[in-house]
Amino acid sequence: TGIQFSITITAKDFFENSVTTFTGADTLSDDSGTLTPTVTSALSGGVWTGTVTITKSWTADHITARGGGKQGTSNAFEVIAVLDRFEFSTVPSPRTAGAAFSVTITAKDGFNNTVTSFTSIASLSDDTFSLSPTTTTNFTAGAWTGSLTITKSQSNVRITANASGKQGQSNLFTINPAALQHFSFAQIDTQTAGVDFPITVTAQDLYNNTVTTFLSTVTLSDPTSTITPTVSGPFVGGVW
């Protein structure tokens, strides 16, 4: 698709003799409806040779020439698409960390035709570096549908597919933290009995993402049973 190729059109009589006196121009069309040019220049000695372009992939295309009230049609030929990029189905936003979601990736040429001949695998990556799997299975007729998982919460995430020196990217989307699974403490160094010291407690999901929606208080305890206070203040953005 999109690559020029040469054709020769010859005016013929009923007995397949060249009609050298025909010097008109022919109109051109094809089954895909994307042929250019659509008009030849004047035939010379009943013959025209020129370059044409078709931008839509087609299994059994034909070119038809019309002129002088007559017409002729070429042999059937295939117009193939050449890989230019990968196109993603829309990834709804937001997604949840660790929850699988489905995407479809399609191999496309420069004219938005599906490259049905592409049956290889593509590598996958994302902005969080937590995507799995990192490769597709083989495409079928230029398309692949599969389930993906991202475990790191982040805004403005994009997935990239790469293969055969070409690539494509998904829309931007957000990964929200999963449900609260545990609390994490910032490191506490050696302290002196009876002297106040600060601590930071963070609400986290299974994948250690901060659960920013956690705004409650928590109870506090230690092995000496002498810690005060025994209840935190309200968390802000998942942190106290």
Side-chain angles (χ1 to χ4, degrees), residues 94-101 149-152 174-179 205 207:
R95 312 307 304 171
T96 300
F101 57 95
T149 303
I150 296 174
T151 57
K152 184 177 179 181
T174 296
I175 299 292
N176 283 338
D205 67 9
Y207 309 101

Side-chain angles (χ1 to χ4, degrees), residues 23-236:
T23 56
D26 287 343
T27 60
L28 301 175
S29 62
D30 82 312
D31 299 331
S32 78
T34 64
L35 177 73
T36 56
T38 55
V39 180
T40 69
S41 55
L43 275 67
S44 177
V47 179
W48 179 82
T49 297
T51 56
V52 296
T53 304
I54 297 171
T55 58
K56 186 173 183 179
S57 57
W58 207 267
T59 301
D61 202 6
H62 302 81
I63 298 174
T64 299
R66 294 177 175 86
K70 306 297 181 181
Q71 71 175 45
T73 300
S74 73
N75 60 291
F77 59 96
E78 184 175 6
V79 181
I80 62 172
V82 178
L83 181 64
D84 175 72
R85 70 187 192 281
F86 293 98
E87 185 176 282
F88 282 73
S89 59
T90 300
V91 179
S93 183
R95 312 307 304 171
T96 300
F101 57 95
S102 178
V103 297
T104 296
I105 306 172
T106 305
K108 293 283 190 175
D109 71 3
F111 302 95
N112 212 37
N113 299 296
T114 298
V115 184
T116 57
S117 60
F118 184 81
T119 57
S120 301
I121 64 173
S123 63
L124 300 174
S125 60
D126 82 314
D127 300 321
T128 74
F129 302 101
S130 68
L131 175 72
S132 65
T134 54
T135 58
T136 67
T137 54
N138 289 84
F139 279 53
T140 300
W144 177 82
T145 298
S147 292
L148 303 178
T149 303
I150 296 174
T151 57
K152 184 177 179 181
S153 62
Q154 185 173 309
S155 299
N156 296 323
V157 177
R158 200 191 303 265
I159 301 169
T160 301
N162 280 281
S164 301
K166 305 297 181 180
Q167 72 171 34
Q169 293 186 314
S170 72
N171 58 292
L172 293 169
F173 59 96
T174 296
I175 299 292
N176 283 338
L180 177 66
Q181 201 259 353
H182 65 276
F183 295 97
S184 174
F185 280 75
Q187 180 174 319
I188 301 172
D189 295 325
T190 301
Q191 302 297 323
T192 301
V195 178
D196 288 348
F197 59 94
I199 64 170
T200 298
V201 185
T202 304
Q204 295 187 326
D205 67 9
L206 176 65
Y207 309 101
N208 293 327
N209 298 300
T210 299
V211 182
T212 56
T213 55
F214 184 81
L215 307 175
S216 301
T217 61
V218 296
T219 60
L220 301 173
S221 62
D222 81 315
T224 72
S225 300
T226 64
I227 190 172
T228 56
T230 56
V231 178
S232 73
F235 279 51
V236 177

